[in-house]
Amino acid sequence: MTNQPGSGWPQGPPPQGPGPTPPAWGAQQLPPGVPYPGQGPQYPNQSQQPRPSAMVPSGFDPRRALGEAPPASVSINQFAPPPNRTPLLVTIVAMVTLVLVIGGGIYLRSQPAAQPSPSPSASPTASTGPGHPFDTPTGQQRGRWEILDQTWTDEGLQLQLRIYSDNGPISFSFVAFANASTQVIAPTSSPRSPDIRTGTATPSKPITGYVFFPMPHEDGTIILATGAGLQMSALPVKA
């Protein structure tokens, strides 16, 4: 029997060699491209096959062990130096100081002006009494002295003097000079007594006596000094 076209026989001889396993009898015919059970997906077109990179999870790093947490993200701002707050602190301190100064000025202006306290009166250098007061060079004793009488002679000036002590003994001596010159004149022996060219006065015993100066008849100055010659006071004399 020969194969005739259109008789239902294949037009050519059956393919040689093993071919795809036909589905079992009675199995449901699947559409093209759908795999039979147990077979992988069918890709008629090579461009439809999945690429290896598409099957790798996003963020996968082959150098890191599985299950290891990804490293935290690092920003360059983390390495920036901390902000400098010194100008802000200086500004705050300056403002606080200004407020205190202004507040202090307002407070002082609101206070009534203080009345000046009366200054204590200066204590006299000597107690009340006759004569011209004086202090010793050490300031520990005070006294007074006076010229009771003066007489001019051809030889010089005769004086009657009195010396008081207000507290403690005071040793004394005398010198003189004419105002027209600077020559110092020491006293000599007095023609009248008692002669008190030197001596010591106490509060209970003032000294009164005579002193003679061989000096020209002209205006002069009598100086009261300590026993050691240190000046304590001076009195003028007229010619």
Side-chain angles (χ1 to χ4, degrees):
M1 174 179 271
T2 60
N3 294 333
Q4 296 296 329
S7 61
W9 289 98
Q11 297 179 3
Q16 301 297 320
T21 303
W25 293 102
Q28 183 178 2
Q29 188 70 25
L30 299 176
V34 178
Y36 289 100
Q39 293 183 349
Q42 300 297 320
Y43 299 98
N45 190 353
Q46 186 67 24
S47 62
Q48 297 178 358
Q49 296 183 9
R51 298 180 181 178
S53 59
M55 296 183 292
V56 177
S58 176
F60 175 75
D61 188 354
R63 296 171 298 178
R64 190 173 66 251
L66 294 177
E68 182 181 355
S73 61
V74 179
S75 174
I76 194 172
N77 295 331
Q78 297 179 0
F79 302 96
N84 187 5
R85 295 184 173 87
T86 301
L88 178 60
L89 295 178
V90 172
T91 303
I92 294 175
V93 171
M95 293 180 64
V96 172
T97 304
L98 180 61
V99 171
L100 292 177
V101 170
I102 295 176
I106 295 175
Y107 174 78
L108 292 178
R109 290 181 180 179
S110 63
Q111 298 300 313
Q115 298 294 332
S117 58
S119 58
S121 58
S123 58
T125 58
S127 60
T128 304
H132 184 72
F134 66 90
D135 292 336
T136 61
T138 61
Q140 297 179 351
Q141 287 84 28
R142 299 186 302 272
R144 293 162 285 116
W145 72 304
E146 58 181 337
I147 298 175
L148 300 178
D149 184 47
Q150 70 178 47
T151 303
W152 287 97
T153 66
D154 295 339
E155 290 79 16
L157 176 62
Q158 179 76 56
L159 294 177
Q160 184 183 20
L161 302 173
R162 182 174 292 166
I163 299 95
Y164 305 88
S165 174
D166 294 330
N167 59 335
I170 299 176
S171 62
F172 60 86
S173 62
F174 300 95
V175 292
F177 63 88
N179 293 346
S181 67
T182 58
Q183 181 182 1
V184 177
I185 303 168
T188 59
S189 178
S190 174
R192 301 183 65 176
S193 59
D195 187 334
I196 57 169
R197 286 176 288 179
T198 60
T200 301
T202 62
S204 60
K205 184 181 179 181
I207 300 299
T208 304
Y210 296 91
V211 180
F212 182 80
F213 295 96
M215 59 185 296
H217 191 178
E218 58 186 47
D219 294 344
T221 301
I222 310 301
I223 296 176
L224 173 66
T226 64
L230 299 177
Q231 180 177 342
M232 294 187 290
S233 183
L235 290 176
V237 291
K238 295 294 183 181

